[in-house]
């Protein structure tokens, strides 16, 4: 077979690409193949860091033998992650919280974020803490039969909860 | 957007003799959507529409499905989009400011990749730009964030700050003096990743190397930037020493090499990209060392972009075979160099 680019040299590189279900084939000589790759001179490496990463974790953790837990938000399992190297959604980090620490220690060497915090999260963190506090006080009030106080606390709790709902 | 040159080709900025460009990017995701690879068209479009609304005042949004393959390739060569974004063109978009140094890739591996590309060593400015963009989005959107591990990303290698910063370095003297190997292997001990651009290990084409931070979690954004800047400055020092040694010990050889490179570039009628990159690197070194004085340094950066295959085809406004590209490349280089030599 002759190279379809230069029509001169023998085609020794045979490429099959499937992009969005559309299959294209190309047959090139080594020179033209190298040339056709030159658009990529500053791009990401061609091997998938994700599947490499996923594969490593798989062997090390023996996750395939585990019973499959699926993320309630996106439906992905940890196995899906190990195959693809990508989580399905941010809730996966909670769903697979037991696997996350060894994973992060391996790829990042640490577990503690010290960088930027979104302003919104700052506010929410405060409100959430306040809510927890109120719930504890309410429980206590009920146990102590302080119904007047409990009613007050309940009202306060409701307004705060509404606020949180509104933020979402 | 397709036919103009990018700002990173200006060849200016601090340490432009060694640093072609600086890039900074932040990965961000929305809390309520699955990561892009699991989104259907409608969900992906909702995200694009939302970010378009938020940024409409100073940014334009381009749906990538409206571009053909050649157009997408040009955007890749200009470093505006990644291959992945192009492959996902039915669900993805590019949001870009009038000055094309700041942009957002929407629905790449993460929902948002905020990025900045500047000529020269400008990591701090880059960080400032993407953080400014981040603050703007954050006013309107709730990002996936954990108090413990920071910004959540599709791939755990980006978790935390979501920050990846990189510099593209031109290191011809370290390569010529055979010192690049030891210099680069020392670097890996300092939390950075080095890649020769195109080619393996020390055989980087055009003597261009990209250096980026390895880890995104556990440090503040400023620390990551400072560390990379520090390391970059150390490499620049070594390259400076090597250039000095070359001009001291082997000036005639160097002048010969630079002159031959310029001779080839100004006379070749057919040239492939590997050969062109090699000679361009020599010419750029010649400019930096004062061996060539009638060509401005930016001609090198401009040609780095102009000689790429899709750019050549965009200039010609049609698809070209490999041979036709080599011919077009030679003529673009000849014309561009003579234009710049005449100060046009």
């Amino acid at each position: 077979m002759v190279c379809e680019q230069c029509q001169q040299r023998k085609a020794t590189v045979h490429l099959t690409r499937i992009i969005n279900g559309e299959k294209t084939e190309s047959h090139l000589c080594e020179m033209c193949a190298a040339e056709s790759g030159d658009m990529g001179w500053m791009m990401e490496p061609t091997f998938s860091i994700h599947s490499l990463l996923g594969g490593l974790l798989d062997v090390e953790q023996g996750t395939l033998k585990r019973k499959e837990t699926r993320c309630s938000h996106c439906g992905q399992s940890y196995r899906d992650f190990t195959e693809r190297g990508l989580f399905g959604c941010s809730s996966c980090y909670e769903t697979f919280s037991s696997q996350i620490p060894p994973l992060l220690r391996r790829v990042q060497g640490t577990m503690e974020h010290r960088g930027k915090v979104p302003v919104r999260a700052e506010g929410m963190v405060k409100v959430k803490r306040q809510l927890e506090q109120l719930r504890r006080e309410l429980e206590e009030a009920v146990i102590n039969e302080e119904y007047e106080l409990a009613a007050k606390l309940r009202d306060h709790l409701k307004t705060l909860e509404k606020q949180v709902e509104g933020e979402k | 957007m397709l036919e103009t040159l990018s700002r990173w080709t200006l060849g200016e900025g601090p340490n432009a003799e060694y640093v072609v460009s600086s890039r900074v990017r932040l990965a961000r995701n929305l809390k309520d959507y699955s990561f892009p690879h699991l989104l259907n068209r409608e969900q992906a479009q909702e995200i694009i529409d939302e970010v378009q609304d938020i940024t409409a005042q100073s940014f334009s949004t381009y749906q990538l499905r409206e571009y053909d393959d050649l157009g997408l390739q040009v955007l890749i060569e200009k470093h505006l989009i990644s291959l992945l974004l192009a492959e996902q063109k039915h669900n993805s978009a590019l949001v870009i400011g009038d000055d094309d140094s700041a942009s957002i890739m929407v629905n790449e591996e993460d929902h948002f990749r905020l990025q900045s590309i500047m000529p020269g060593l400008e990591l701090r400015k880059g960080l400032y730009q993407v953080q400014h963009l981040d603050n703007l989005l954050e006013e309107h959107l709730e990002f996936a964030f954990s108090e413990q591990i920071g910004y959540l990303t599709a791939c755990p290698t980006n978790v935390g700050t979501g920050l990846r910063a990189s510099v593209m370095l031109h290191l011809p003297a370290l390569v010529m003096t055979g010192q690049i190997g030891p210099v680069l292997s020392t670097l890996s001990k300092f939390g950075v990743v080095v890649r020769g651009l195109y080619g393996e290990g020390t055989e980087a084409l055009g003597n261009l190397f990209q250096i980026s931070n390895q880890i995104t979690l556990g440090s503040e954004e400023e620390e990551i930037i400072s560390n990379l800047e520090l390391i970059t400055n150390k490499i620049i020092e070594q390259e400076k020493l090597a250039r000095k040694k070359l001009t001291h010990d082997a000036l005639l050889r160097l002048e010969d090499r630079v002159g031959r490179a310029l001779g080839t570039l100004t006379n070749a009628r057919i040239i492939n990209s590997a050969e062109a990159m090699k000679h361009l690197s020599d010419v750029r070194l010649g400019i930096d060392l004062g061996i060539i004085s009638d060509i401005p340094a930016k001609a090198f950066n401009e040609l780095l972009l102009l000689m790429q295959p899709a750019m050549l085809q965009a200039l010609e406004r049609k698809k070209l075979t490999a041979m036709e590209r080599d011919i077009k490349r030679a003529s673009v280089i000849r014309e561009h160099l003579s234009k710049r030599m005449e100060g046009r």
Side-chain angles (χ1 to χ4, degrees), chain A residues 49 106-109, chain B residues 25 156-159 161 163-166 187-194 211-217 219 224 227-228 231:
Chain A
I49 186 168
R106 179 169 295 262
V107 296
Q108 300 272 6
Chain B
R25 69 106 163 117
T157 52
N158 293 314
V159 120
T161 57
L163 172 69
R164 189 83 57 199
S166 67
L187 287 180
S188 57
K189 293 174 190 134
F190 295 93
V192 295
V193 184
V194 188
I211 297 179
S212 57
N213 63 305
Q214 186 167 20
I215 282 163
T216 56
L217 180 63
S219 303
I224 294 175
N227 187 46
L228 185 62
I231 289 165

Short mmCIF file of all heavy atoms in Angstrom, two decimals, chain A residues 49 106-109, chain B residues 25 156-159 161 163-166 187-194 211-217 219 224 227-228 231:
data_model
loop_
_atom_site.label_atom_id
_atom_site.label_comp_id
_atom_site.label_asym_id
_atom_site.label_seq_id
_atom_site.Cartn_x
_atom_site.Cartn_y
_atom_site.Cartn_z
N ILE A 49 -2.92 9.45 31.10
CA ILE A 49 -2.46 9.45 32.48
C ILE A 49 -3.55 8.86 33.36
O ILE A 49 -3.29 8.22 34.37
CB ILE A 49 -2.09 10.87 32.95
CG1 ILE A 49 -1.46 10.81 34.34
CG2 ILE A 49 -3.27 11.80 32.93
CD1 ILE A 49 -0.82 12.08 34.78
N ARG A 106 -1.22 9.13 47.51
CA ARG A 106 -0.39 8.59 46.44
C ARG A 106 -0.12 9.63 45.35
O ARG A 106 1.01 9.82 44.93
CB ARG A 106 -1.07 7.37 45.83
CG ARG A 106 -0.31 6.74 44.69
CD ARG A 106 -0.94 5.40 44.34
NE ARG A 106 -0.79 4.49 45.44
CZ ARG A 106 0.18 3.58 45.50
NH1 ARG A 106 1.03 3.48 44.52
NH2 ARG A 106 0.27 2.78 46.52
N VAL A 107 -1.18 10.31 44.88
CA VAL A 107 -0.97 11.23 43.75
C VAL A 107 -0.56 12.63 44.18
O VAL A 107 0.07 13.34 43.42
CB VAL A 107 -2.19 11.31 42.80
CG1 VAL A 107 -2.45 9.98 42.15
CG2 VAL A 107 -3.42 11.85 43.49
N GLN A 108 -0.93 13.03 45.38
CA GLN A 108 -0.65 14.40 45.80
C GLN A 108 0.31 14.47 46.98
O GLN A 108 0.84 15.54 47.29
CB GLN A 108 -1.95 15.13 46.18
CG GLN A 108 -2.97 15.21 45.05
CD GLN A 108 -2.76 16.43 44.18
OE1 GLN A 108 -1.81 17.17 44.34
NE2 GLN A 108 -3.67 16.65 43.26
N GLY A 109 0.44 13.37 47.69
CA GLY A 109 1.35 13.33 48.83
C GLY A 109 0.78 13.98 50.08
O GLY A 109 1.46 14.06 51.09
N ARG B 25 -3.47 27.71 34.75
CA ARG B 25 -4.87 27.34 34.63
C ARG B 25 -5.45 26.83 35.95
O ARG B 25 -4.74 26.28 36.79
CB ARG B 25 -5.09 26.32 33.52
CG ARG B 25 -4.52 24.95 33.81
CD ARG B 25 -5.64 23.97 34.14
NE ARG B 25 -5.17 22.60 34.03
CZ ARG B 25 -5.12 21.76 35.06
NH1 ARG B 25 -5.46 22.17 36.26
NH2 ARG B 25 -4.71 20.53 34.89
N PRO B 156 -8.24 13.09 40.23
CA PRO B 156 -7.69 13.48 41.53
C PRO B 156 -6.32 14.16 41.46
O PRO B 156 -5.89 14.76 42.44
CB PRO B 156 -7.60 12.16 42.30
CG PRO B 156 -7.71 11.08 41.28
CD PRO B 156 -8.48 11.65 40.13
N THR B 157 -5.67 14.11 40.31
CA THR B 157 -4.37 14.79 40.19
C THR B 157 -4.52 16.31 40.15
O THR B 157 -3.53 17.03 40.19
CB THR B 157 -3.62 14.37 38.91
OG1 THR B 157 -4.49 14.54 37.80
CG2 THR B 157 -3.17 12.95 38.98
N ASN B 158 -5.75 16.81 40.04
CA ASN B 158 -5.96 18.27 39.98
C ASN B 158 -6.64 18.83 41.23
O ASN B 158 -6.90 20.03 41.31
CB ASN B 158 -6.81 18.62 38.76
CG ASN B 158 -6.08 18.36 37.47
OD1 ASN B 158 -4.92 18.71 37.32
ND2 ASN B 158 -6.74 17.70 36.54
N VAL B 159 -6.96 17.94 42.16
CA VAL B 159 -7.74 18.34 43.33
C VAL B 159 -6.97 19.34 44.20
O VAL B 159 -5.75 19.40 44.15
CB VAL B 159 -8.11 17.05 44.12
CG1 VAL B 159 -7.58 17.05 45.51
CG2 VAL B 159 -9.60 16.82 44.06
N THR B 161 -6.06 23.03 44.80
CA THR B 161 -6.10 24.35 44.17
C THR B 161 -6.61 24.29 42.73
O THR B 161 -7.08 25.27 42.20
CB THR B 161 -4.69 24.97 44.11
OG1 THR B 161 -3.84 24.06 43.40
CG2 THR B 161 -4.12 25.20 45.49
N LEU B 163 -4.75 24.19 40.38
CA LEU B 163 -3.82 25.09 39.68
C LEU B 163 -2.69 24.33 38.99
O LEU B 163 -1.99 23.54 39.61
CB LEU B 163 -3.21 26.07 40.70
CG LEU B 163 -2.05 26.95 40.20
CD1 LEU B 163 -2.54 27.97 39.19
CD2 LEU B 163 -1.39 27.65 41.36
N ARG B 164 -2.56 24.56 37.71
CA ARG B 164 -1.40 24.03 36.98
C ARG B 164 -0.74 25.22 36.30
O ARG B 164 -1.41 25.94 35.54
CB ARG B 164 -1.84 23.00 35.96
CG ARG B 164 -0.71 22.24 35.32
CD ARG B 164 -0.20 21.05 36.15
NE ARG B 164 -1.27 20.10 36.44
CZ ARG B 164 -1.20 19.20 37.41
NH1 ARG B 164 -0.15 19.12 38.19
NH2 ARG B 164 -2.21 18.39 37.62
N ALA B 165 0.51 25.44 36.61
CA ALA B 165 1.23 26.55 35.99
C ALA B 165 2.38 25.97 35.21
O ALA B 165 2.98 24.97 35.62
CB ALA B 165 1.76 27.49 37.07
N SER B 166 2.68 26.56 34.07
CA SER B 166 3.81 26.04 33.30
C SER B 166 4.52 27.16 32.53
O SER B 166 3.93 28.20 32.25
CB SER B 166 3.35 24.95 32.32
OG SER B 166 2.54 25.50 31.32
N LEU B 187 15.71 18.54 38.34
CA LEU B 187 14.46 19.26 38.58
C LEU B 187 13.36 18.40 39.19
O LEU B 187 12.56 18.87 40.00
CB LEU B 187 13.94 19.83 37.26
CG LEU B 187 14.70 21.00 36.71
CD1 LEU B 187 14.07 21.45 35.42
CD2 LEU B 187 14.68 22.12 37.73
N SER B 188 13.33 17.13 38.76
CA SER B 188 12.21 16.29 39.19
C SER B 188 12.19 16.16 40.71
O SER B 188 11.19 15.79 41.30
CB SER B 188 12.30 14.93 38.52
OG SER B 188 13.54 14.34 38.83
N LYS B 189 13.30 16.48 41.36
CA LYS B 189 13.33 16.39 42.82
C LYS B 189 12.64 17.58 43.47
O LYS B 189 12.46 17.62 44.68
CB LYS B 189 14.79 16.33 43.31
CG LYS B 189 15.47 15.04 42.91
CD LYS B 189 16.95 15.06 43.27
CE LYS B 189 17.66 13.88 42.64
NZ LYS B 189 18.92 14.23 42.00
N PHE B 190 12.29 18.58 42.68
CA PHE B 190 11.72 19.79 43.26
C PHE B 190 10.24 20.00 42.93
O PHE B 190 9.76 21.12 42.88
CB PHE B 190 12.53 21.01 42.82
CG PHE B 190 13.94 20.98 43.35
CD1 PHE B 190 14.97 20.44 42.61
CD2 PHE B 190 14.21 21.46 44.62
CE1 PHE B 190 16.26 20.39 43.12
CE2 PHE B 190 15.49 21.41 45.13
CZ PHE B 190 16.53 20.87 44.38
N GLY B 191 9.56 18.90 42.69
CA GLY B 191 8.12 18.99 42.52
C GLY B 191 7.66 19.58 41.20
O GLY B 191 6.57 20.12 41.13
N VAL B 192 8.51 19.51 40.17
CA VAL B 192 8.06 19.97 38.86
C VAL B 192 8.22 18.85 37.83
O VAL B 192 9.01 17.94 38.01
CB VAL B 192 8.83 21.22 38.36
CG1 VAL B 192 8.56 22.41 39.23
CG2 VAL B 192 10.31 20.93 38.25
N VAL B 193 7.44 18.97 36.78
CA VAL B 193 7.49 18.00 35.70
C VAL B 193 8.07 18.68 34.47
O VAL B 193 7.69 19.81 34.16
CB VAL B 193 6.06 17.51 35.36
CG1 VAL B 193 6.12 16.41 34.31
CG2 VAL B 193 5.36 17.00 36.61
N VAL B 194 8.99 18.02 33.81
CA VAL B 194 9.59 18.60 32.60
C VAL B 194 9.19 17.76 31.40
O VAL B 194 9.23 16.54 31.45
CB VAL B 194 11.13 18.57 32.67
CG1 VAL B 194 11.71 19.35 31.51
CG2 VAL B 194 11.60 19.11 33.99
N ILE B 211 7.89 23.20 31.62
CA ILE B 211 8.06 22.83 33.03
C ILE B 211 6.81 23.22 33.78
O ILE B 211 6.32 24.35 33.64
CB ILE B 211 9.29 23.55 33.61
CG1 ILE B 211 10.52 23.07 32.85
CG2 ILE B 211 9.44 23.29 35.10
CD1 ILE B 211 11.77 23.72 33.28
N SER B 212 6.26 22.29 34.55
CA SER B 212 5.04 22.63 35.28
C SER B 212 5.05 22.02 36.68
O SER B 212 5.83 21.12 36.96
CB SER B 212 3.80 22.15 34.51
OG SER B 212 3.90 20.76 34.27
N ASN B 213 4.18 22.55 37.55
CA ASN B 213 4.10 22.01 38.90
C ASN B 213 3.44 20.64 38.88
O ASN B 213 2.53 20.38 38.10
CB ASN B 213 3.33 22.95 39.84
CG ASN B 213 1.88 23.14 39.43
OD1 ASN B 213 1.60 23.51 38.30
ND2 ASN B 213 0.96 22.89 40.33
N GLN B 214 3.92 19.75 39.76
CA GLN B 214 3.41 18.39 39.74
C GLN B 214 2.17 18.25 40.62
O GLN B 214 1.24 17.54 40.29
CB GLN B 214 4.52 17.47 40.25
CG GLN B 214 4.17 16.01 40.15
CD GLN B 214 5.40 15.15 40.36
OE1 GLN B 214 6.41 15.59 40.90
NE2 GLN B 214 5.33 13.92 39.92
N ILE B 215 2.19 18.95 41.74
CA ILE B 215 1.18 18.71 42.75
C ILE B 215 0.27 19.93 42.92
O ILE B 215 0.73 21.08 42.84
CB ILE B 215 1.87 18.29 44.06
CG1 ILE B 215 2.27 16.82 43.92
CG2 ILE B 215 1.02 18.50 45.29
CD1 ILE B 215 3.29 16.36 44.89
N THR B 216 -1.03 19.68 43.10
CA THR B 216 -1.99 20.78 43.17
C THR B 216 -2.59 20.94 44.57
O THR B 216 -3.33 21.87 44.82
CB THR B 216 -3.15 20.56 42.18
OG1 THR B 216 -3.74 19.27 42.46
CG2 THR B 216 -2.66 20.58 40.75
N LEU B 217 -2.28 20.01 45.46
CA LEU B 217 -2.90 20.01 46.79
C LEU B 217 -1.82 20.22 47.86
O LEU B 217 -0.71 19.73 47.73
CB LEU B 217 -3.60 18.66 47.01
CG LEU B 217 -4.33 18.41 48.33
CD1 LEU B 217 -5.49 19.38 48.51
CD2 LEU B 217 -4.84 16.98 48.40
N SER B 219 -0.46 23.11 49.00
CA SER B 219 0.23 24.39 49.01
C SER B 219 -0.74 25.49 48.60
O SER B 219 -1.72 25.22 47.92
CB SER B 219 1.38 24.42 48.00
OG SER B 219 2.29 23.40 48.25
N ILE B 224 2.85 27.72 44.98
CA ILE B 224 3.06 26.90 43.78
C ILE B 224 3.73 27.76 42.71
O ILE B 224 4.70 27.35 42.07
CB ILE B 224 1.71 26.34 43.27
CG1 ILE B 224 1.15 25.34 44.28
CG2 ILE B 224 1.89 25.68 41.90
CD1 ILE B 224 -0.23 24.81 43.94
N ASN B 227 7.39 28.67 43.68
CA ASN B 227 8.28 27.54 43.50
C ASN B 227 8.66 27.36 42.03
O ASN B 227 9.84 27.20 41.70
CB ASN B 227 7.60 26.26 44.04
CG ASN B 227 8.55 25.08 44.04
OD1 ASN B 227 9.70 25.19 44.46
ND2 ASN B 227 8.08 23.94 43.54
N LEU B 228 7.66 27.44 41.17
CA LEU B 228 7.93 27.27 39.74
C LEU B 228 8.80 28.41 39.21
O LEU B 228 9.72 28.21 38.41
CB LEU B 228 6.62 27.19 38.96
CG LEU B 228 6.75 26.89 37.47
CD1 LEU B 228 7.40 25.53 37.25
CD2 LEU B 228 5.39 26.93 36.77
N ILE B 231 12.44 27.88 40.36
CA ILE B 231 13.09 26.84 39.57
C ILE B 231 13.39 27.36 38.17
O ILE B 231 14.48 27.13 37.63
CB ILE B 231 12.21 25.57 39.54
CG1 ILE B 231 12.24 24.92 40.92
CG2 ILE B 231 12.70 24.60 38.48
CD1 ILE B 231 11.18 23.89 41.15
#
